Amino acid sequence: MTFEYAPAPESRSIVDIKAKYGHFIDGKFVTGKNHFATINPATEEVLSQIALGSASDVDKAVAAAQKAYTKTWSKLSGKERGKYLYRIARILQERAREFAVLETLDNGKPIRETRDIDIPLVAAHFFYHAGWADKLDYAGLGKSPQPHGVAGQIIPWNFPLLMLAWKVAPALATGNTVVLKPAETTSLTALLFAQVCQEAELPDGVVNIVTGDGTTGSAIVNHPGIHKIAFTGSTEVGKKLARAIAGTDKKATLELGGKGANVVFDDAPIDEAVEGIVNGIFFNQGHVCCAGSRLILQEGIADEFIEKLKVRMAKIRVGDPLDKNTDLGAINSREQLLKIQELAGVGDSEGAERWSPACNLSDKGFWFAPTIFTGVTQAHRIAREEIFGPVLSILTFRTPQEAIEKANNTPFGLSAGVWSEKGSRILWATQQLRAGVVWANTFNKFDPASPFGGYKESGWGREGGKHGLSAYLKEGK
Ligand code: NDP
């Protein structure tokens, strides 16, 4: 039986988007000089004009963060810092719907995800880290652990507010102050977060937000007043950052790309595994560094599995991100759409077989239908490169050892999934997989208490949990 869904649009009247934004420096919004447009990727409507941060804006933000660090923030007890974090977390919860709608408008991801996943996790990160602020001396984080000072934080567009929370919450809990740059295409929720900092009466200069592009990010990275860098984004830019800070005493965590393998053994519960594979690659339009973008299927079940996967994919609703029924929203930008189209085209020309369900895609905005490629081999670029879109590459295996070799045959090492009914097989496989996070019979589960990060070209260090805190601390005297 097929259900027809009546439109169920979330109202956008709750958000108040200004025509133009400046930076948030020293507790105040300051005007920028040059601006660029931020658009709704589902409609191409211009939402607002965002300030393009210059080196001098970054200078002012770093000076404000340094002053706040020396005069206020480093003098507060952990207990007092924790109170601010709790206050921020509660305000985020109170304004959750506003944040969810704004994130959906600016990013293109479905309201179902911003409402049920992004924003609740954002609040959870602040609550979690609030609890740590007064316990740092007792948690095995070294002798009398001390903050680094000013942290420079650069975040991507795929989980704009959530990546802000991953970075700002541990920095503040550990006593650092912050200069953060959101991604060019998704600055609006970071600027709304600045209002939350004001509402929470966070001391001026503890959080500074400078909007802009890669040049703004580079000015933060190279600023001598920055002591620690936290970056999430592409491996290419991650490598540039690593080169830029080599030879300095700046600390860095880099959370980069991935090409996660979801390994399905022939004893796996097939319907559940199909659901997990769909979640693994089509959640957030596949704009997920830990997406399960390679499905590695045991040969004996491959035909049946792919048939079931196609039936399930035909039910994915693609369209208006503000509609509460939508599963797959818009691609975040024209550049990203072009990249996905290019790599999918490479899949065709390399001889893999493409399949997508019939979808009505709007002429306006940036859209890509959920897509699978079968007949993929290890040599194909679509098996090796991060597509960062709703595209799944399917490979097969005969023996468990072959599955592990294929899963590990990647320059990345961020995530993996194992699907099997046998506990012993799951334990064996998870020990062999070279990935920072391995999920068993599930995928894309996130929790602030759980460290996240990768091996090889997926980056350095961990974010979240106790491991994530240690990146913001150095040993005291
Ligand atoms: P980038 O790595 O370019 O962007 C991430 C952040 O870094 C953005 O805030 C960006 O600014 C900033 N930045 C860009 N260049 C520099 C620089 N030289 N120094 C300091 N900061 C810089 O990712 P893109 O948005 O361009 O996406 C490109 C590809 O990266 C995607 O197709 C995807 O494959 C991958 N990606 C991976 C992510 C992950 O979580 N692993 C997240 C996002 C992208 P601005 O956006 O303003 O240019």
Side-chain angles (χ1 to χ4, degrees):
M1 190 162 108
T2 311
F3 291 97
E4 291 298 328
Y5 288 82
E10 174 72 60
S11 165
R12 60 182 279 180
S13 63
I14 194 168
V15 299
D16 172 23
I17 304 177
K18 295 185 179 48
K20 198 186 254 189
Y21 286 89
H23 309 292
F24 181 67
I25 298 175
D26 207 12
K28 291 157 222 53
F29 284 95
V30 297
T31 48
K33 204 166 164 209
N34 298 313
H35 291 79
F36 56 88
T38 190
I39 61 167
N40 176 346
T43 59
E44 298 177 55
E45 170 204 0
V46 173
L47 294 171
S48 183
Q49 298 293 325
I50 304 294
L52 177 62
S54 63
S56 131
D57 296 320
V58 169
D59 243 0
K60 287 179 195 140
V62 174
Q66 260 168 344
K67 189 178 78 188
Y69 177 74
T70 323
K71 298 219 159 132
T72 330
W73 203 239
S74 63
K75 298 223 163 84
L76 285 185
S77 66
K79 189 174 158 202
E80 290 305 313
R81 288 199 309 273
K83 285 186 194 168
Y84 285 105
L85 285 149
Y86 278 123
R87 209 181 281 173
I88 290 171
R90 282 195 298 266
I91 298 170
L92 285 163
Q93 281 188 322
E94 280 161 19
R95 300 180 70 171
R97 192 162 148 244
E98 191 182 349
F99 272 103
V101 171
L102 189 61
E103 194 80 298
T104 287
L105 283 171
D106 203 20
N107 171 281
K109 62 171 81 188
I111 187 76
R112 202 167 54 79
E113 292 180 3
T114 51
R115 184 196 60 197
D116 298 347
I117 299 170
D118 292 61
I119 311 304
L121 272 174
V122 167
H125 270 269
F126 279 95
F127 277 121
Y128 172 78
H129 286 95
W132 267 116
D134 61 351
K135 300 175 190 67
L136 302 172
D137 285 340
Y138 320 105
L141 289 160
K143 190 178 147 210
S144 180
Q146 299 297 313
H148 291 292
V150 182
Q153 309 189 316
I154 297 162
I155 55 173
W157 44 262
N158 54 341
F159 292 94
L161 192 68
L162 183 57
M163 288 302 106
L164 175 150
W166 277 33
K167 306 252 177 305
V168 172
L172 265 45
T174 48
N176 296 273
T177 56
V178 163
V179 176
L180 176 132
K181 189 196 87 67
E184 205 175 331
T185 56
T186 53
S187 302
L188 290 180
T189 47
L191 294 164
L192 187 58
F193 177 79
Q195 286 181 23
V196 170
C197 294
Q198 288 180 324
E199 207 179 324
E201 295 174 9
L202 189 70
D204 292 348
V206 172
V207 169
N208 303 275
I209 295 172
V210 183
T211 52
D213 61 10
T215 55
T216 318
S218 180
I220 294 177
V221 171
N222 291 304
H223 199 289
I226 297 279
H227 308 291
K228 188 232 169 341
I229 313 278
F231 170 80
T232 298
S234 62
T235 298
E236 190 193 339
V237 174
K239 285 180 181 173
K240 279 191 200 160
L241 293 194
R243 277 195 289 271
I245 62 167
T248 72
D249 60 0
K250 290 178 189 175
K251 303 280 176 256
T253 39
L254 305 177
E255 209 270 274
L256 311 176
K259 193 75 188 173
N262 239 328
V263 180
V264 182
F265 289 98
D266 58 8
D267 63 347
I270 291 199
D271 292 335
E272 282 169 38
V274 165
E275 206 53 45
I277 299 308
V278 165
N279 166 33
I281 185 62
F282 301 125
F283 166 59
N284 202 36
Q285 294 72 245
H287 300 328
V288 184
C289 48
C290 57
S293 51
R294 288 180 298 151
L295 169 59
I296 306 194
L297 263 182
Q298 194 145 14
E299 213 172 81
I301 56 163
D303 290 345
E304 181 192 355
F305 196 97
I306 290 165
E307 274 322 301
K308 288 198 165 189
L309 182 60
K310 287 179 175 174
V311 170
R312 176 65 183 83
M313 283 172 65
K315 297 197 184 321
I316 294 175
R317 290 180 296 272
V318 186
D320 179 6
L322 271 180
D323 191 314
K324 289 172 231 165
N325 295 319
T326 294
D327 298 312
L328 198 87
I331 300 301
N332 178 253
S333 64
R334 188 181 300 284
E335 292 70 38
Q336 189 59 25
L337 178 61
L338 290 173
K339 186 185 161 192
I340 298 168
Q341 287 169 337
E342 184 206 326
L343 274 167
V346 169
D348 295 330
S349 59
E350 285 179 330
E353 198 175 316
R354 185 201 292 228
W355 183 88
S356 295
C359 292
N360 268 336
L361 303 181
S362 167
D363 295 337
K364 274 274 177 206
F366 316 125
W367 305 95
F368 199 88
T371 298
I372 56 172
F373 276 98
T374 50
V376 179
T377 72
Q378 300 274 77
H380 287 159
R381 274 178 66 192
I382 55 166
R384 298 197 316 268
E385 292 180 27
E386 186 176 46
I387 300 174
F388 224 63
V391 181
L392 178 69
S393 300
I394 305 181
L395 298 91
T396 58
F397 70 94
R398 289 186 181 166
T399 66
Q401 195 56 45
E402 184 190 348
I404 300 297
E405 277 170 26
K406 284 189 167 160
N408 287 340
N409 186 4
T410 162
F412 300 108
L414 193 55
S415 71
V418 184
W419 297 83
S420 167
E421 214 151 55
K422 265 204 193 97
S424 57
R425 177 171 277 173
I426 290 173
L427 287 173
W428 174 82
T430 51
Q431 280 165 6
Q432 315 288 317
L433 288 164
R434 291 270 295 152
V437 54
V438 185
W439 286 289
N441 291 335
T442 187
F443 210 84
N444 275 339
K445 290 277 179 286
F446 305 102
D447 189 289
S450 173
F452 184 91
Y455 291 103
K456 301 192 278 187
E457 295 208 356
S458 291
W460 294 344
R462 295 291 179 267
E463 292 192 306
K466 196 177 120 184
H467 299 72
L469 288 169
S470 62
Y472 283 94
L473 291 167
K474 60 185 181 202
E475 195 160 314
K477 302 206 171 69

